[in-house]
Amino acid sequence: MTAKELSEQGAKYQSLLEARDIEDVLYGDEGMLGGVRDDDDDDDDDDDDDYDGASGSLLTEELTPRAELPPLLLTLAQRPAERLHWLGASFGLTQPLFRFWHRLGFMPTYLRQTVNDTTGEHTAIVIRPLTMAHEGGAGASRWATEYADDFRKRLTSLLGLAMHKMGVDLALSLLDPELQPPEGTAAAPSSEQLAFLLGAYDMRRLQSYAHNLVDHHLVMDLVPLLASLRFTNKLRTPLSHVQAAILLGLGLQRKTLDELALELGLPVSQMLALFNKAVRKMVATLRAVEEAAEGASLPDVALAEAAGSSMRPMATKLSDEMDAGAAASLRALQADQAQKQAAWLREVDDGGELAKYAVKGSDSEWAAALGGAAVPSSVSVRNPAKEAGMASKAKDGHDKRSPREGSGGKAGKRSKA
């Protein structure tokens, strides 16, 4: 609070209980605000002159009525009013009482979190700023509006705690949101704020629910955030009174659908349909913010057109260029394969590692084997070296088996004897 606000004065409405026998007495009109006039000091001086302290003392003084004494009570016309900056009132919060004070322009600034033990009501304090004609209404009463806005901001958090059982209609009256904002005054968090508030998949879940692709249970964890943004005027979207009550009950007071249905007198299916429409409007506004941020990150249209105007068509077609590149690659591959084949042939002629894979037989032997006929599926060409090796292996095997066979014969003869 500033020093000027601390110095401001106010008055509080106080309810009075009067007995029936004094109802007709105009006590409040005549002397309710009685006081001392500005010229009271002069009258007091005159009274002091009537008493002579030197002529007697308190022990010898005779009490006699004094003449021309000022009246104890003054009329309201005789008593100038003080300069007041605000009027206030406190009462047990009920819907009819708050509606009465709200229609008179009073704004809520305080609400006790615990209920009264006797009445079971929350104590509320409301104020109304008073401005003079020369002060200007908007600037002089801005402090009261700031108090009321701060109260509503704190109330959005308290509705889910100490005031969970408060009626939805009464809570909506205390918040007093602007349900139908004028055209062109829509507000929404920035893209940076949305990135901080919503996760990577939160917006996708909201979009899926807005398009009736998933059930409302999938987005119930995001409803308190949406309700807080909407009722603190950080997200201004049009809502009906019933939609605002449903959003407040589900998001701020954490009530169930059955409790709201019993309180509002609506079926659950109708409430879900209205709730889906409200979420769809809010998601559309948030989606527009994200799209605008993505659009701002794209290159400027003028720069793109300038870059396109400097482009010229190619001298050759892309297909011709691709065919020429493929032909050049094929020629390079063929040349490489020819070099590898020549190196293999030289290695075979020199008796290298590949020589053992060379096909045997001369051209005359191949011509004799084919006999001038068509090329068969398989041919056999004599290999003298291979035949000599096989013959030597057979001879060695025969020499090794001969002693065994001789011994076997003798054994047979013995068995016969």
Side-chain angles (χ1 to χ4, degrees), residues 329-346:
S329 300
L330 182 60
R331 288 193 298 269
L333 181 61
Q334 291 175 351
D336 183 63
Q337 289 181 351
Q339 292 178 1
K340 290 181 179 180
Q341 290 178 359
W344 293 340
L345 292 177
R346 287 193 301 270

Side-chain angles (χ1 to χ4, degrees), residues 33 135 139 239 259 317 399 403:
L33 295 178
E135 294 178 350
L239 293 176
E259 292 175 347
K317 294 182 179 181
D399 294 341

Side-chain angles (χ1 to χ4, degrees), residues 48-288:
D48 294 338
D49 296 339
D50 296 338
Y51 173 73
D52 186 4
S55 61
S57 63
L58 295 176
L59 297 176
T60 61
E61 179 185 8
E62 294 181 2
L63 300 177
T64 58
R66 297 182 181 182
E68 298 181 359
L69 288 176
L72 296 177
L73 299 178
L74 301 176
T75 63
L76 295 179
Q78 296 173 338
R79 173 70 164 80
E82 290 86 354
R83 171 68 177 94
L84 299 180
H85 298 85
W86 53 269
L87 292 176
S90 63
F91 53 91
L93 183 63
T94 60
Q95 185 70 24
L97 270 179
F98 181 78
R99 187 184 300 113
F100 168 77
W101 291 109
H102 184 67
R103 288 176 179 175
L104 295 177
F106 285 77
M107 297 178 293
T109 57
Y110 172 79
L111 187 64
R112 185 180 179 182
Q113 298 186 27
T114 57
V115 297
N116 187 281
D117 296 336
T118 304
T119 62
E121 300 169 349
H122 297 273
T123 302
I125 296 178
V126 294
I127 62 173
R128 175 183 175 180
L130 300 177
T131 57
M132 302 297 291
H134 65 276
E135 294 178 350
S141 61
R142 183 174 58 185
W143 62 271
T145 305
E146 293 176 354
Y147 283 152
D149 292 341
D150 182 71
F151 165 76
R152 294 187 180 99
K153 181 180 178 181
R154 290 183 286 110
L155 183 62
T156 55
S157 301
L158 294 175
L159 284 175
L161 300 174
M163 302 169 190
H164 169 74
K165 297 181 180 180
M166 181 182 293
V168 177
D169 292 337
L170 182 56
L172 192 61
S173 300
L174 289 172
L175 292 177
D176 191 22
E178 190 176 8
L179 300 181
Q180 299 296 331
E183 293 291 339
T185 61
S190 62
S191 59
E192 293 79 7
Q193 292 173 342
L194 283 181
F196 176 77
L197 295 174
L198 298 176
Y201 300 100
D202 293 339
M203 184 60 71
R204 296 184 182 180
R205 287 191 290 143
L206 289 174
Q207 289 179 351
S208 299
Y209 175 71
H211 292 87
N212 295 319
L213 299 178
V214 296
D215 192 56
H216 68 280
H217 295 95
L218 192 63
V219 296
M220 286 304 296
D221 60 312
L222 301 175
V223 175
L225 175 61
L226 295 178
S228 178
L229 292 176
R230 180 59 185 87
F231 290 109
T232 54
N233 290 328
K234 295 180 180 178
L235 177 61
R236 294 163 59 90
T237 55
L239 293 176
S240 65
H241 186 83
V242 180
Q243 287 176 339
I246 295 173
L247 183 62
L248 187 148
L250 292 178
L252 297 184
Q253 292 188 303
R254 273 74 166 178
K255 293 184 178 180
T256 63
L257 287 172
D258 296 334
E259 292 175 347
L260 283 177
L262 183 62
E263 187 172 350
L264 298 177
L266 295 175
V268 176
S269 58
Q270 185 177 355
M271 290 174 52
L272 286 176
L274 295 173
F275 176 68
N276 182 269
K277 292 181 180 179
V279 173
R280 189 182 309 168
K281 296 176 183 178
M282 290 185 285
V283 171
T285 304
L286 298 178
R287 183 64 178 172

Side-chain angles (χ1 to χ4, degrees), residues 304-378:
E305 292 178 354
S309 62
S310 62
M311 295 182 179
R312 297 292 182 271
M314 300 177 61
T316 58
K317 294 182 179 181
L318 182 60
S319 58
D320 297 340
E321 186 177 354
M322 294 176 63
D323 294 339
S329 300
L330 182 60
R331 288 193 298 269
L333 181 61
Q334 291 175 351
D336 183 63
Q337 289 181 351
Q339 292 178 1
K340 290 181 179 180
Q341 290 178 359
W344 293 340
L345 292 177
R346 287 193 301 270
E347 187 177 357
V348 171
D349 295 339
D350 297 340
E353 182 67 22
L354 296 177
K356 61 182 180 179
Y357 300 108
V359 179
K360 306 299 182 180
S362 60
D363 294 338
S364 58
E365 292 176 345
W366 277 96
L370 294 175
V375 179
S377 59
S378 62

